[in-house]
Amino acid sequence: MSRKMIVEVWVGLFTVLAFVALLMVAFKVSNFQGVQKETYQIKAAFSNIGGLKVRAPVKISGVIVGKVIDIEVDKETYQAIVVMAINSDLNHLSLDTSASILTSGMLGDQYIGIDPGADEEYLQDGDYLDIVQPALVLEELIGKFLTNLSGE
Amino acid sequence: MQNKSISNPIIEVKNLTFSRGSRKIFNNLSFSIPCGKITAIMGPSGTGKTTILKLIAGQLKPDRGQVLVKGLDVHKLKRQKLYELRRVMGMLFQSGALLTDLNVFENVAFPLREHTNLPNEILSPLIKMKLQAVGLRGAQKLMPAELSGGMARRVALARAIVLDPEIVFYDEPFAGQDPISMGVLVELIQKLNQSLKLTSVVVSHDVDEVLSIAEYVCILSEGKIVASGTPEDLLNSNSDYVNQFIKGYADGPVSFHFPAKNYVEDLKDNANAS
Amino acid sequence: MQMPVNFLANIGSLVIGLLQSIGKALFFMTSIIIVMPYAIKRFNLLLKQIYFLGVLSLPIILTAGFFVGMVLSLQGYLVLVDFNSEEAVGSMTALSLIRELGPVVTGLLFAGRAGSALTAEIGLMRSTEQISALEMMAVDPNKFVYAPRLAASIIVLPMLSMIFVAVGIIGSYLISVGWLGVYDGFFWTQMQTHVDWNNDVINGIIKSIFFAVLVALVSLFQGVNAIPTSEGVSRATTKTVVHSSLGILGLDFLLTVLMF
């Protein structure tokens, strides 16, 4: 085998190895989904988002259907505006869909759970969700529990 | 003995000043090299003989002055034009400067592959001709590391003439060669110059070999041309310096001793100090 | 009263020298980048450099990646087991490998293994007059020597970094699942929920591209400016490793601030 061929074979092997590594990182390690799915945006205003972060998942019945892409404070109401990107194949969410900030497990990451309603009309790109439930904050829960105790 | 005017110069160096750091290597140097002859530039080590070749080839830029090659000012040329001009110049480097990762054949073929699109059927006989001319057709498969110094220089010579240049520069072609390969190189330089109608410029301090082939000689010392002419002119010269250089006397205008203070004084100082 | 004047003069010449070398480096950089398209056209030259810089760096990258992955999980496990969340060991290892250790450690190893070799090679080519000979043969060393090496580095380092990450994760899997008894399914699903393709993987690759440019330019520059003696070349080689390693760490901090 000539020197040139040896070089070519090794470079080929190297490239294959790098490609396999890339595939492994893409499909086994990260959330790579090939071509980015089409999405549309819906928004919701929360009085408290707890520990919700950008890129947190949005779930319906526990299935991931989108993710949080932006969180900011409304300058007038001082509420947190959470922008979600929802997969376009789920474009039949009724207008009275509700959103709540939930926690996976006792101390896990927070995500948004949405519950479809029964309205005839559907949410469009950029619409706000009206029915929201803010995150449960542990301190507030304990506070309530204590006032209830003393009230008895 | 002054610079005799040369009827047909191919290279003209005019008022060249070049310094390295604060050391002036050439100060107002002027000379010409005649077309179609073997010209030797001689001088003791460290006078910048290699530097002058690099200046002529445009690899170094002078502080002042100009170098005309075939009437073109080398240092005013755009990169593109300079590279075109270099294709009519070949240089044989002191170490051979073969590309270490190519074998002999590919080294000689390299300039052709870079500058032409010749198919292998034409290229191969051409290379073999050039290798035959330097007597190394049998060594075409060897790698540079497997060659002796003299052989490497001959391969480099084949490479230098592969583009059929008009001017070939030889940088110290005889340095560190055994008598046989020295003889081979002397003969090759002469033969190639005649058969290819070259202008050859040989930079060297090997007096005997150079005088045997050169048709015109410049002697360089301390940044100046101290003598020039045909070998006969120089052999019959009455200049002390030329005599010392050509005959290799240890002492003369070029002193044996590095400049120092008086010897006796120096020893006395030592005695006083201790 | 000669002292203060000398002192000022020394500082002055030092500053001028520094500015000069920055300027020289920038000139050198642009002159190579201009001829980069040529390097890609000369596929054979590129292939050879990919072999020298990439394939020959594989053994050290594979071993280092494997061990770094194993050590990370071992350490991570010891901390995480206190919080009963040892399943997170996979995602922790993967994140640190993909965001930081992959590009940075590969970059450092590349500087030591390939960068130093580049400097020595160029320095030697100069001291044996090969670069001069190329110029005399009207072949631009920028095109023929430097550009293919820069291009090959840019291609090779992200590949090496990816291989490093993958091998590291395999090492982590062997330690945490095979030895420490973390549940196999959780190991992978935790990873997939926490490692984001766009934000983590792509940024890691971008980092390694920056490091490749840095290491290649530093090594080539040192090689070109080495004093062409054996001592000069060996000093330039040391400089390459020191400068590019420090450069990688500094650049990494900067990129991390910008990216995450």
Side-chain angles (χ1 to χ4, degrees):
Chain A
M1 205 155 59
S2 76
R3 232 183 83 81
K4 203 179 159 199
M5 248 172 88
I6 296 174
V7 168
E8 284 166 353
V9 168
W10 272 105
V11 171
L13 191 71
F14 174 55
T15 315
V16 169
L17 208 60
F19 195 67
V20 170
L22 187 74
L23 287 183
M24 175 180 154
V25 171
F27 294 112
K28 196 91 185 163
V29 176
S30 82
N31 58 356
F32 180 70
Q33 282 158 345
V35 187
Q36 288 295 310
K37 280 185 189 163
E38 292 265 313
T39 58
Y40 67 104
Q41 294 184 1
I42 56 175
K43 298 176 185 172
F46 291 94
S47 60
N48 193 325
I49 58 163
L52 189 74
K53 292 187 192 75
V54 172
R55 279 166 56 194
V58 178
K59 299 181 184 179
I60 293 180
S61 314
V63 180
I64 298 177
V65 295
K67 62 179 175 184
V68 174
I69 54 171
D70 193 27
I71 299 173
E72 54 189 23
V73 175
D74 188 294
K75 291 205 180 71
E76 279 158 20
T77 61
Y78 297 109
Q79 287 202 308
I81 309 291
V82 175
V83 185
M84 293 163 266
I86 309 291
N87 297 341
S88 292
D89 45 355
L90 266 170
N91 56 358
H92 294 300
L93 290 175
S94 57
L95 271 185
D96 57 347
T97 297
S98 66
S100 35
I101 296 176
L102 306 169
T103 310
S104 50
M106 197 47 202
L107 295 166
D109 289 333
Q110 286 184 302
Y111 65 95
I112 293 189
I114 51 181
D115 268 320
D119 203 297
E120 295 283 298
E121 287 192 56
Y122 299 128
L123 285 166
Q124 302 294 323
D125 189 48
D127 280 355
Y128 274 84
L129 296 180
D130 293 330
I131 312 164
V132 295
Q133 190 191 348
L136 291 176
V137 179
L138 209 57
E139 290 90 329
E140 285 177 8
L141 279 181
I142 295 170
K144 265 184 205 160
F145 180 64
L146 287 177
T147 41
N148 281 352
L149 267 188
S150 60
E152 271 174 15
Chain B
M1 192 172 56
Q2 266 313 303
N3 212 342
K4 272 184 266 172
S5 65
I6 293 160
S7 55
N8 183 15
I10 190 165
I11 297 169
E12 289 173 272
V13 176
K14 289 181 179 167
N15 308 322
L16 194 76
T17 301
F18 179 79
S19 42
R20 216 169 237 159
S22 58
R23 201 167 83 94
K24 260 200 176 134
I25 301 196
F26 302 119
N27 194 1
N28 219 8
L29 181 72
S30 301
F31 65 94
S32 326
I33 289 170
C35 187
K37 290 187 178 167
I38 301 178
T39 302
I41 299 173
M42 307 189 64
S45 316
T47 44
K49 296 190 301 295
T50 304
T51 312
I52 192 77
L53 287 188
K54 292 198 168 175
L55 280 164
I56 293 174
Q59 291 193 321
L60 293 173
K61 279 207 179 306
D63 304 339
R64 258 178 292 118
Q66 50 177 190
V67 175
L68 302 179
V69 176
K70 297 179 72 187
L72 297 168
D73 186 340
V74 172
H75 302 287
K76 292 234 164 67
L77 289 178
K78 290 253 155 54
R79 197 185 184 85
Q80 188 81 38
K81 293 274 170 206
L82 177 64
Y83 274 28
E84 269 172 39
L85 181 64
R86 278 191 190 151
R87 291 173 61 172
V88 303
M89 305 195 246
M91 188 180 294
L92 177 68
F93 285 88
Q94 196 169 344
S95 58
L98 297 175
L99 299 175
T100 35
D101 52 350
L102 301 178
N103 67 19
V104 167
F105 182 90
E106 287 302 322
N107 256 296
V108 180
F110 180 78
L112 280 174
R113 287 204 201 281
E114 286 298 311
H115 295 301
T116 65
N117 282 322
L118 292 180
N120 265 336
E121 302 85 72
I122 301 178
L123 197 111
S124 178
L126 254 173
I127 306 304
K128 285 181 182 156
M129 269 163 59
K130 302 289 177 186
L131 278 172
Q132 175 73 14
V134 297
L136 288 176
R137 193 167 44 83
Q140 45 181 298
K141 288 270 176 297
L142 295 182
M143 296 302 283
E146 301 169 288
L147 301 175
S148 72
M151 277 157 82
R153 241 170 260 193
R154 277 148 72 190
V155 174
L157 184 53
R159 185 179 67 178
I161 57 170
V162 79
L163 284 176
D164 291 325
E166 296 169 34
I167 310 168
V168 177
F169 300 103
Y170 299 87
D171 184 8
E172 300 278 8
F174 312 117
Q177 297 294 309
D178 62 67
I180 300 176
S181 39
M182 218 180 277
V184 170
L185 281 164
V186 168
E187 204 182 302
L188 269 176
I189 293 173
Q190 201 165 23
K191 246 172 55 188
L192 288 176
N193 195 68
Q194 281 163 5
S195 57
L196 301 177
K197 311 229 165 8
L198 293 171
T199 301
S200 304
V201 181
V202 183
V203 150
S204 177
H205 48 52
D206 295 284
V207 177
D208 296 335
E209 286 74 23
V210 169
L211 292 188
S212 69
I213 52 169
E215 294 158 82
Y216 187 77
V217 183
C218 300
I219 295 185
L220 200 64
S221 173
E222 288 168 4
K224 286 198 182 69
I225 297 286
V226 291
S228 61
T230 62
E232 291 75 41
D233 288 344
L234 295 182
L235 285 172
N236 301 328
S237 165
N238 46 16
S239 146
D240 286 343
Y241 181 81
V242 173
N243 271 322
Q244 187 195 2
F245 183 77
I246 288 183
K247 311 222 164 92
Y249 299 138
D251 215 344
V254 178
S255 168
F256 170 69
H257 294 290
F258 193 79
K261 63 180 165 182
N262 186 288
Y263 189 36
V264 180
E265 295 280 310
D266 206 356
L267 290 179
K268 259 189 200 158
D269 282 353
N270 267 2
N272 291 343
S274 52
Chain C
M1 292 317 288
Q2 196 61 8
M3 266 291 286
V5 178
N6 271 343
F7 182 64
L8 283 181
N10 282 343
I11 289 181
S13 64
L14 210 72
V15 170
I16 290 173
L18 194 70
L19 288 178
Q20 190 197 5
S21 52
I22 291 174
K24 241 165 100 178
L26 278 178
F27 267 121
F28 181 67
M29 208 170 111
T30 38
S31 62
I32 297 178
I33 289 172
I34 290 171
V35 295
M36 281 287 276
Y38 181 89
I40 295 158
K41 265 193 281 172
R42 296 295 298 266
F43 191 68
N44 264 335
L45 291 178
L46 196 61
L47 204 69
K48 212 188 250 177
Q49 290 310 318
I50 291 178
Y51 178 80
F52 279 124
L53 300 176
V55 175
L56 296 185
S57 303
L58 261 183
I60 193 171
I61 296 293
L62 289 174
T63 357
F66 193 63
F67 277 97
V68 167
M70 290 200 299
V71 168
L72 269 184
S73 346
L74 212 51
Q75 288 288 4
Y77 180 83
L78 291 178
V79 176
L80 290 169
V81 78
D82 288 347
F83 301 100
N84 271 331
S85 39
E86 56 267 30
E87 307 82 49
V89 77
S91 60
M92 191 209 71
T93 313
L95 272 183
S96 16
L97 280 174
I98 288 171
R99 286 184 176 180
E100 290 295 333
L101 292 171
V104 172
V105 175
T106 326
L108 294 176
L109 292 175
F110 186 74
R113 164 65 189 68
S116 59
L118 267 187
T119 303
E121 189 195 7
I122 303 286
L124 225 67
M125 280 182 85
R126 259 167 44 84
S127 71
T128 54
E129 298 176 300
Q130 289 182 55
I131 301 282
S132 274
L134 285 175
E135 284 180 1
M136 276 313 296
M137 289 186 277
V139 173
D140 188 348
N142 283 340
K143 287 184 187 169
F144 186 81
V145 182
Y146 309 138
R149 283 165 173 77
L150 176 60
S153 301
I154 294 175
I155 293 170
V156 149
L157 192 51
M159 289 164 86
L160 287 174
S161 167
M162 209 32 82
I163 292 172
F164 183 93
V165 169
V167 171
I169 289 171
I170 292 170
S172 164
Y173 178 85
L174 288 182
I175 288 292
S176 28
V177 177
W179 186 24
L180 299 170
V182 174
Y183 177 58
D184 188 341
F186 286 160
F187 181 84
W188 294 113
T189 48
Q190 277 269 341
M191 239 186 234
Q192 284 182 339
T193 44
H194 286 106
V195 179
D196 187 67
W197 174 261
N198 287 328
N199 287 283
D200 299 322
V201 182
I202 298 287
N203 277 348
I205 293 175
I206 292 173
K207 268 188 183 179
S208 59
I209 291 175
F210 271 95
F211 297 161
V213 175
L214 178 87
V215 174
L217 285 178
V218 168
S219 335
L220 292 175
F221 184 71
Q222 290 297 345
V224 169
N225 288 291
I227 302 157
T229 60
S230 49
E231 197 204 349
V233 172
S234 81
R235 206 180 304 154
T237 316
T238 314
K239 265 194 196 165
T240 294
V241 177
V242 172
H243 289 189
S244 38
S245 303
L246 291 178
I248 285 173
L249 296 174
L251 197 60
D252 180 55
F253 177 73
L254 213 75
L255 289 172
T256 307
V257 168
L258 291 177
M259 284 173 173
F260 297 107

